[in-house]
Amino acid sequence: MKNYTIDEIVAIYEKSGKLMYDATLSGDYKTNNREGKRLTKIYKLFELNNAFGYQCIDRLINSNNVVIRAKAAAYALSMNYKIDYAVSVLQEIAENPDNGIFGFNAKMTLKVWRKNGYLKIY
């Protein structure tokens, strides 16, 4: 797989995150699934190089896009990185009624992580 810079990763996530946000709200599961698979491939790079993954997570978790923030927080939990912050981000997303289905997804991510004591991305 290609070597990416952090800026390239952020750009990919911003593009995919927008597509996933819109696709979720419109019920376009094919687009959502395609973009989700694309992002999972990149997450695998984070697992191979934790330091690079942590730097990417630090940038992604501050996105204005709720999909990207939730994914970055889930990645942090799965990598045992900044656990308290990741939990607080997911709780914030879950508790905001404006987030709708995305809040529900964040709530379920936390529920699975708490139940199992770990989180698997794929």
Side-chain angles (χ1 to χ4, degrees):
M1 182 173 247
K2 177 185 175 200
N3 286 329
Y4 293 97
T5 66
I6 295 169
D7 288 337
E8 288 172 325
I9 296 288
V10 170
I12 291 167
Y13 271 79
E14 289 294 338
K15 181 179 178 185
S16 289
K18 177 163 180 18
L19 289 169
M20 292 175 79
Y21 183 91
D22 294 341
T24 298
L25 294 180
S26 70
D28 181 0
Y29 70 91
K30 288 182 181 180
T31 296
N32 195 45
N33 290 346
R34 181 186 67 238
E35 296 305 315
K37 287 178 185 176
R38 174 175 289 133
L39 299 185
T40 297
K41 286 181 185 177
I42 293 173
Y43 168 77
K44 290 178 182 182
L45 295 175
F46 297 175
E47 291 180 311
L48 294 174
N49 183 343
N50 286 349
F52 178 73
Y54 297 159
Q55 291 175 333
C56 291
I57 289 168
D58 286 342
R59 290 270 305 273
L60 296 169
I61 208 163
N62 292 307
S63 173
N64 291 326
N65 184 310
V66 67
V67 173
I68 298 167
R69 289 190 77 215
K71 283 200 168 293
Y75 293 169
L77 291 179
S78 73
M79 296 177 74
N80 293 312
Y81 177 67
K82 294 188 177 179
I83 298 293
D84 292 339
Y85 185 62
V87 167
S88 71
V89 167
L90 288 168
Q91 285 176 329
E92 174 190 319
I93 293 169
E95 292 170 1
N96 184 339
D98 294 338
N99 288 330
I101 186 65
F102 306 107
F104 176 77
N105 291 344
K107 181 179 176 181
M108 291 300 101
T109 299
L110 283 170
K111 182 177 179 180
V112 168
W113 176 74
R114 287 178 174 137
K115 178 182 177 199
N116 296 334
Y118 62 90
L119 190 66
K120 291 178 74 169
I121 299 300
Y122 55 91

